[in-house]
Amino acid sequence: KAGVTQTPRYLIKTRGQQVTLSCSPISGHRSVSWYQQTPGQGLQFLFEYFSETQRNKGNFPGRFSGRQFSNSRSEMNVSTLELGDSALYLCASSGGAGHSYEQYFGPGTRLTVT
Amino acid sequence: GESVGLHLPTLSVQEGDNSIINCAYSNSASDYFIWYKQESGKGPQFIIDIRSNMDKRQGQRVTVLLNKTVKHLSLQIAATQPGDSAVYFCAESDRDDKIIFGKGTRLHILP
C-alpha cells in the first residue's frame, strides 16, 4: 500500500504570493489533517478534513485554508505569504474522523518564503 | 535532513540501555495521548497510544506510562538500538479532537 504523498517536496515563494500544497492520502483513508512544523513552535495543527468537510480547525489566520476532494485528496492554500510561514507542512491521513485513529504522515512540503 | 527543532532537549543513551523520554501535557481534559517518532527528512511515525482510562500500555520494545495526577507521560524504549535515533514527540487530544504536540526530545544513541 502506498503511503501518504505530498507535492511538491520543496517550494520557494516570495512574500505576498500565495501557495497551494497537495496531499494524497493512503488509499481508503477518508481523513486528512494538516500540520505546520517550525523550529520555534514545533508541530501545530492546522485543520482536518473528512469526507470533503472541514471537521476541525486549529488557531491559524484565515490566510490558511484547505479543501478535500471526493477522492480524499486534499489541498491547502496559504495566501499573502509572510516570512513566518516558512515551515515544513505535513499532512496525515487516517481511516476515520478524529485523532483517535492512527495517523500516517507524509514526508512534508518544505516551504521557504523570502 | 529536516531540522525539526534547533533547541530540543537531547537525551543521550548507550546502545543496549533503556531510554526514558518524558513529557508533561497541559490539558487536564485530554483523554488520548500518542507518541510519535520523527527521523530526519521524514514525517512523524506513530509509535504507541494510550487512553486516559489506562495508566500503562506496552508495545514491541516500547511502554507508555500515563500519570494523570501530575499530567505526565513517558515513553520507555527497551534495549535502545541505533535505529531508535530520532526526535520523539508526545501529543494529546481532548474531546474537541484537536491534537497538541509537545516540543520534542532528540534521542541520541551512543555506540
Side-chain angles (χ1 to χ4, degrees), chain B residues 38-55:
Chain B
Q38 187 172 23
E39 296 174 282
S40 183
K42 298 183 179 178
Q45 178 187 5
F46 173 94
I47 301 173
I48 191 168
D49 60 0
I50 189 169
R51 296 198 178 274
S52 58
N53 61 352
M54 303 172 69
D55 52 21

Side-chain angles (χ1 to χ4, degrees), chain B residues 16-48:
Chain B
D17 286 353
N18 297 337
S19 302
I20 300 176
I21 301 171
N22 295 303
C23 176
Y25 64 92
S26 55
N27 186 356
S28 56
S30 291
D31 58 2
Y32 178 63
F33 304 88
I34 317 114
W35 279 100
Y36 288 93
K37 171 186 180 183
Q38 187 172 23
E39 296 174 282
S40 183
K42 298 183 179 178
Q45 178 187 5
F46 173 94
I47 301 173
I48 191 168

Side-chain angles (χ1 to χ4, degrees), chain A residues 37 55-57 99 110, chain B residues 2 32 38 96-98:
Chain A
Q37 186 172 32
R55 187 178 170 275
N56 220 334
K57 190 177 187 306
H99 294 117
R110 167 69 65 185
Chain B
E2 306 292 358
Y32 178 63
Q38 187 172 23
D96 288 338
D97 254 348
K98 293 184 182 179

Side-chain angles (χ1 to χ4, degrees), chain A residues 34-107:
Chain A
W34 287 90
Y35 297 85
Q36 181 195 66
Q37 186 172 32
T38 60
Q41 298 299 316
L43 270 157
Q44 293 184 286
F45 171 68
L46 280 156
F47 25 66
E48 179 194 4
Y49 286 87
F50 181 78
S51 294
E52 302 179 65
T53 301
Q54 186 180 88
R55 187 178 170 275
N56 220 334
K57 190 177 187 306
N59 298 322
F60 277 81
R63 299 186 298 108
F64 292 81
S65 63
R67 59 178 175 169
Q68 187 180 33
F69 302 94
S70 59
N71 61 358
S72 293
R73 191 177 70 84
S74 177
E75 289 181 347
M76 69 161 280
N77 184 277
V78 187
S79 63
T80 320
L81 283 165
E82 301 177 359
L83 294 179
D85 297 333
S86 293
L88 181 67
Y89 289 89
L90 293 156
C91 85
S93 77
S94 65
H99 294 117
S100 57
Y101 288 85
E102 183 174 338
Q103 293 190 80
Y104 296 83
F105 282 82

